[in-house]
Coordinates of all heavy atoms in Angstrom, one line a residue:
P1 N 217.4 186.7 89.6 CA 218.4 186.1 90.5 C 219.5 185.3 89.8 O 219.2 184.7 88.8 CB 217.6 185.2 91.4 CG 216.4 184.8 90.5 CD 216.2 185.9 89.6
A2 N 220.7 185.3 90.3 CA 221.8 184.6 89.7 C 221.8 183.2 90.3 O 222.2 182.9 91.4 CB 223.1 185.3 90.0
F3 N 221.5 182.2 89.5 CA 221.5 180.8 89.9 C 222.8 180.1 89.4 O 222.9 178.9 89.6 CB 220.3 180.1 89.2 CG 219.0 180.4 89.9 CD1 217.8 180.6 89.1 CD2 218.8 180.4 91.2 CE1 216.6 180.9 89.7 CE2 217.6 180.7 91.8 CZ 216.5 180.9 91.0
A4 N 223.7 180.9 88.8 CA 224.8 180.2 88.1 C 225.8 179.4 89.0 O 226.4 178.5 88.5 CB 225.6 181.3 87.4
A5 N 225.9 179.7 90.2 CA 226.9 179.1 91.1 C 226.6 177.6 91.3 O 227.5 176.8 91.7 CB 227.0 179.8 92.4
V6 N 225.4 177.2 91.1 CA 225.0 175.8 91.5 C 225.0 174.9 90.3 O 224.6 175.3 89.2 CB 223.6 175.9 92.1 CG1 223.1 174.5 92.5 CG2 223.6 176.7 93.4
D7 N 225.3 173.6 90.5 CA 225.2 172.6 89.4 C 223.8 172.2 89.3 O 223.4 171.1 89.8 CB 226.2 171.5 89.7 CG 226.1 170.4 88.6 OD1 225.5 170.6 87.6 OD2 226.7 169.3 88.8
W8 N 222.9 173.0 88.8 CA 221.5 172.7 88.8 C 221.1 171.5 87.9 O 220.1 170.9 88.1 CB 220.7 173.9 88.2 CG 220.7 175.1 89.2 CD1 221.6 176.1 89.2 CD2 219.8 175.3 90.3 NE1 221.3 177.0 90.2 CE2 220.2 176.5 90.9 CE3 218.8 174.5 90.8 CZ2 219.6 177.0 92.0 CZ3 218.1 175.0 91.9 CH2 218.5 176.2 92.5
K9 N 222.0 171.1 86.9 CA 221.7 170.0 86.0 C 222.1 168.7 86.6 O 222.0 167.7 85.9 CB 222.4 170.3 84.7 CG 221.8 171.4 83.9 CD 220.4 171.2 83.4 CE 219.9 172.3 82.5 NZ 218.5 172.0 82.0
K10 N 222.6 168.6 87.8 CA 223.2 167.4 88.3 C 222.2 166.2 88.3 O 222.6 165.1 88.1 CB 223.7 167.6 89.8 CG 224.3 166.4 90.4 CD 224.9 166.8 91.8 CE 225.6 165.6 92.4 NZ 226.1 165.9 93.8
H11 N 220.9 166.5 88.5 CA 219.9 165.5 88.6 C 218.9 165.5 87.4 O 217.8 165.1 87.6 CB 219.2 165.5 89.9 CG 220.2 165.2 91.1 ND1 220.6 163.9 91.4 CD2 220.8 166.0 92.0 CE1 221.4 163.9 92.4 NE2 221.5 165.2 92.8
A12 N 219.4 166.1 86.3 CA 218.5 166.1 85.1 C 218.0 164.8 84.7 O 218.7 163.8 84.8 CB 219.3 166.7 83.9
G13 N 216.7 164.7 84.4 CA 216.1 163.4 84.1 C 215.3 162.8 85.2 O 214.5 161.9 85.0
T14 N 215.5 163.3 86.4 CA 214.8 162.9 87.6 C 213.4 163.4 87.6 O 213.1 164.5 87.1 CB 215.5 163.3 88.9 OG1 216.8 162.8 88.9 CG2 214.8 162.9 90.1
T15 N 212.4 162.7 88.1 CA 211.1 163.2 88.3 C 210.8 163.3 89.8 O 211.0 162.3 90.6 CB 210.0 162.3 87.7 OG1 210.2 162.3 86.3 CG2 208.6 162.8 88.0
L16 N 210.4 164.4 90.3 CA 210.1 164.7 91.7 C 208.6 164.7 91.9 O 207.8 165.3 91.1 CB 210.6 166.0 92.2 CG 212.1 166.1 92.5 CD1 212.5 167.6 92.8 CD2 212.5 165.2 93.6
E17 N 208.1 164.0 93.0 CA 206.7 164.1 93.4 C 206.7 165.2 94.5 O 207.4 165.1 95.5 CB 206.2 162.8 93.9 CG 206.2 161.7 92.9 CD 205.2 161.8 91.8 OE1 204.2 162.6 92.0 OE2 205.4 161.2 90.7
V18 N 205.8 166.2 94.3 CA 205.8 167.3 95.2 C 204.4 167.5 95.7 O 203.4 167.5 95.0 CB 206.2 168.6 94.5 CG1 206.2 169.8 95.5 CG2 207.7 168.5 94.0
N19 N 204.2 167.6 97.1 CA 202.9 167.7 97.7 C 202.8 169.2 98.3 O 203.6 169.5 99.1 CB 202.8 166.7 98.8 CG 201.4 166.7 99.4 OD1 200.9 167.6 100.0 ND2 200.6 165.6 99.2
L20 N 201.9 169.9 97.8 CA 201.7 171.3 98.1 C 200.4 171.7 98.8 O 199.4 171.0 98.5 CB 201.9 172.2 96.9 CG 203.2 172.1 96.1 CD1 203.2 172.8 94.8 CD2 204.4 172.6 97.0
I21 N 200.4 172.7 99.6 CA 199.1 173.2 100.2 C 198.5 174.2 99.2 O 199.1 175.1 98.7 CB 199.4 173.9 101.5 CG1 200.1 173.0 102.5 CG2 198.1 174.5 102.1 CD1 200.6 173.7 103.7
K22 N 197.2 174.0 99.0 CA 196.4 174.9 98.1 C 196.4 176.3 98.7 O 196.0 176.5 99.9 CB 195.0 174.4 98.0 CG 194.1 175.3 97.1 CD 194.5 175.2 95.7 CE 193.5 176.0 94.8 NZ 194.0 176.2 93.4
G23 N 196.7 177.3 98.0 CA 196.8 178.7 98.4 C 197.8 179.5 97.6 O 198.4 178.9 96.7
P24 N 198.0 180.7 97.9 CA 198.9 181.5 97.1 C 200.3 180.9 96.9 O 200.9 181.0 95.8 CB 199.0 182.9 97.8 CG 197.7 182.9 98.5 CD 197.4 181.5 98.9
R25 N 200.9 180.4 98.0 CA 202.2 179.8 97.9 C 202.3 178.6 97.1 O 203.1 178.4 96.2 CB 202.8 179.5 99.4 CG 203.3 180.7 100.1 CD 202.2 181.5 100.8 NE 201.8 180.8 102.1 CZ 200.8 181.3 102.8 NH1 200.2 182.4 102.5 NH2 200.5 180.7 104.0
G26 N 201.4 177.6 97.4 CA 201.4 176.4 96.7 C 201.0 176.6 95.2 O 201.6 176.0 94.3
D27 N 200.1 177.5 95.0 CA 199.7 177.7 93.6 C 200.8 178.3 92.8 O 201.0 178.0 91.6 CB 198.5 178.7 93.6 CG 197.2 178.0 94.1 OD1 197.2 176.7 94.2 OD2 196.2 178.7 94.3
L28 N 201.6 179.2 93.4 CA 202.7 179.8 92.7 C 203.7 178.8 92.3 O 204.2 178.8 91.2 CB 203.3 180.9 93.6 CG 204.6 181.6 93.0 CD1 204.3 182.3 91.7 CD2 205.3 182.5 94.0
L29 N 204.1 177.9 93.2 CA 205.1 176.9 92.9 C 204.5 175.9 91.9 O 205.3 175.5 91.0 CB 205.4 176.1 94.2 CG 206.1 176.9 95.3 CD1 206.3 176.0 96.5 CD2 207.4 177.4 94.8
H30 N 203.3 175.6 91.9 CA 202.7 174.7 90.9 C 202.7 175.3 89.6 O 203.1 174.7 88.6 CB 201.2 174.4 91.4 CG 200.5 173.5 90.5 ND1 200.8 172.2 90.3 CD2 199.4 173.8 89.6 CE1 199.9 171.6 89.4 NE2 199.1 172.6 89.0
R31 N 202.3 176.6 89.5 CA 202.3 177.3 88.2 C 203.6 177.5 87.6 O 203.8 177.5 86.3 CB 201.6 178.7 88.3 CG 200.2 178.8 88.5 CD 199.7 180.2 88.3 NE 200.4 181.2 89.0 CZ 200.1 181.6 90.2 NH1 199.1 181.1 90.9 NH2 200.9 182.6 90.8
S32 N 204.7 177.6 88.4 CA 206.0 177.9 87.9 C 206.9 176.7 87.8 O 208.1 176.8 87.5 CB 206.7 178.9 88.9 OG 205.9 180.0 89.2
A33 N 206.3 175.5 87.9 CA 207.1 174.3 87.9 C 207.9 174.1 86.6 O 209.0 173.6 86.5 CB 206.2 173.0 88.1
A34 N 207.3 174.6 85.4 CA 208.0 174.5 84.2 C 209.4 175.2 84.2 O 210.3 174.8 83.5 CB 207.1 175.0 83.0
E35 N 209.4 176.3 84.9 CA 210.7 177.0 85.0 C 211.7 176.3 85.8 O 212.9 176.3 85.4 CB 210.4 178.4 85.7 CG 209.5 179.3 84.9 CD 209.3 180.6 85.5 OE1 210.1 181.0 86.5 OE2 208.4 181.4 85.1
F36 N 211.3 175.6 86.8 CA 212.3 174.7 87.6 C 212.8 173.6 86.7 O 214.0 173.3 86.7 CB 211.6 174.2 88.8 CG 212.5 173.2 89.6 CD1 213.5 173.7 90.3 CD2 212.2 171.8 89.5 CE1 214.3 172.8 91.1 CE2 213.0 171.0 90.2 CZ 214.1 171.4 91.0
T37 N 211.9 173.0 85.9 CA 212.3 172.0 85.0 C 213.3 172.5 83.9 O 214.3 171.9 83.6 CB 211.1 171.4 84.2 OG1 210.2 170.8 85.2 CG2 211.5 170.3 83.3

């Protein structure tokens, strides 16, 4: 996917606390968090 249009680095250095539901959706987001970072 092309993410280029967005200023994704605008909040670099911030730490987010994320609360997820255990299951395929939550597990996928949890496993992939390094990519979001």
